[in-house]
Each structure stands twice: as C-alpha cells, then as structure tokens.
Amino acid sequence: NSIEFTGALHATIVKQLHLRNPSNSTLSYSAILVGRDAADFSLPKGNTVSIPPTRQGVVTVEFTIRFLRPAEAVLLLISNKADGVEGATMTFSLKSEVKNIEPHSMLKCRSPCYEL
C-alpha cells in the first residue's frame, strides 16, 4: 500500500491511516518510520496505537515538503501482544510530490542595468 503526500513546497500535509480490528480482542501496534527520508515524516499522536475489539484505530502521519525531489520512507506497524492476541505486521510506502511552488514573499529592487 502507498500513501501519497502531495502539495506545495513548504506545505505541511497530514494523512490519517484507519485500521480496522475485526477480532474480539484488542490489537496493539508500534509504528516505526524507516528509509532515506524517514526523518522528514513524523507521527504527531505518538508511535503506538491500540484498536479496541470490532472498532477502528487511527495512525496520523505528518510531512512537511522541504525539497523539490520526491521523499520516500516506509511506515512499519509491528504488532504488540495485547490480550494474548498478535496482529499481522503491516507496511506502507510513503511518497511525496511537489505540485506547485508558492513564494514566501516578494522583493522589489531597482538597479541600473549597467554602468560605464
């Protein structure tokens, strides 16, 4: 599975990953970011998620586009034993793309084209 972060240069994009627990036991996961640009991605709500029985859990991933080149990382969700039940390890590919560039500010300058 792939999660795309697209937006303007210097924009902060937040994505939420919804996880469903179909079992009758609580599932618990540890989230880890790995890869070339993993430091540019963050988990603002922490790196653990508990999903109650037959409910949904949410993992929030935040990314600020700092460079024109695409950023890449992998989100690993590793199961912790909760209530004696262990879920499957899940991986998600995180990719970014710059859609437009907006200037922070504009500066007007007046200068002669040349001097003798």
Side-chain angles (χ1 to χ4, degrees):
N1 293 336
S2 185
I3 302 170
E4 300 247 345
F5 294 81
T6 58
L9 188 63
H10 303 294
T12 298
I13 296 128
V14 177
K15 296 279 183 160
Q16 289 186 332
L17 182 64
H18 296 269
L19 304 171
R20 190 176 331 180
N21 179 4
S23 74
N24 292 326
S25 300
T26 300
L27 291 177
S28 179
Y29 285 94
S30 292
I32 301 170
L33 295 164
V34 295
R36 178 185 75 188
D37 301 307
D40 294 331
F41 293 87
S42 67
L43 302 163
K45 294 192 176 181
N47 63 343
T48 58
V49 62
S50 288
I51 310 168
T54 65
R55 297 281 176 116
Q56 282 191 352
V58 176
V59 177
T60 304
V61 182
E62 188 175 282
F63 175 71
T64 301
I65 301 176
R66 299 185 312 138
F67 303 108
L68 290 175
R69 69 166 172 77
E72 295 179 0
V74 174
L75 172 64
L76 289 171
L77 294 174
I78 301 169
S79 177
N80 301 326
K81 259 192 175 172
D83 292 344
V85 175
E86 197 169 352
T89 297
M90 295 181 275
T91 60
F92 298 90
S93 175
L94 308 177
K95 297 180 181 186
S96 75
E97 183 182 355
V98 176
K99 288 290 185 182
N100 62 334
I101 301 171
E102 305 247 343
H104 279 289
S105 62
M106 300 200 47
L107 182 66
K108 279 189 171 182
C109 294
R110 210 173 200 153
S111 171
C113 291
Y114 64 90
E115 288 188 29
L116 292 176

